[in-house]
Amino acid sequence: APPKKYVARLLEEIAAEPGRSGDLWVRQFESLVAHKVEHAHVWVSRASPRHKVLGCWVDYQRDKARHGTLVPQRRACLEALGLNWGKPRHKEGTQVGTAGCVARVASLDVGGRDPDTGKVR
């Protein structure tokens, strides 16, 4: 795993990105860190109303990684936290689907911009 100072530097770079997308990404990442501290893992269930937005955000990061559009600094931070890039296992009937998750992630106030790149959609 990368040293904590390296990850902290990456998070500073991400937060300093133009627009608000970097800052919002760092806040979601911090929520994922808190989830890991509380649950000792980073598998976030979308079935729980308490974790639905964070679960969708994590799935969105996986989707971007699969499509090669996840910014390398963000990928490195998630990997340092122990995120597995495989498809998460869901209980039957809880699959929201990528479109539902993208809608939930898009509802984060990013001003009509992609929450990872900051580009206008």
Side-chain angles (χ1 to χ4, degrees):
K4 289 182 182 181
K5 286 182 182 180
Y6 174 71
V7 173
R9 185 176 57 79
L10 290 177
L11 290 171
E12 287 176 9
E13 288 176 14
I14 294 166
E17 291 171 358
R20 296 188 55 227
S21 68
D23 202 33
L24 291 169
W25 193 93
V26 170
R27 281 193 294 192
Q28 286 297 107
F29 180 81
E30 289 169 348
S31 294
L32 185 59
V33 170
H35 183 277
K36 183 172 183 175
V37 167
E38 182 179 344
H39 300 283
H41 61 79
V42 291
W43 286 99
V44 184
S45 172
R46 296 181 310 195
S48 164
R50 180 176 167 217
H51 301 296
K52 190 169 284 197
V53 171
L54 182 60
C56 284
W57 180 83
V58 170
D59 285 352
Y60 185 65
Q61 302 310 303
R62 283 191 182 102
D63 191 52
K64 290 189 77 74
R66 273 193 296 278
H67 290 93
T69 57
L70 184 61
V71 177
Q73 294 88 335
R74 295 173 186 210
R75 184 179 184 113
C77 289
L78 292 165
E79 287 175 351
L81 195 56
L83 187 69
N84 180 316
W85 296 109
K87 187 84 171 151
R89 296 172 298 236
H90 298 285
K91 294 179 184 174
E92 192 159 334
T94 62
Q95 186 88 9
V96 175
T98 303
C101 277
V102 170
R104 283 198 178 88
V105 170
S107 72
L108 299 171
D109 183 18
V110 293
R113 297 180 178 276
D114 181 293
D116 280 323
T117 64
K119 294 179 183 173
V120 176
R121 292 185 202 159

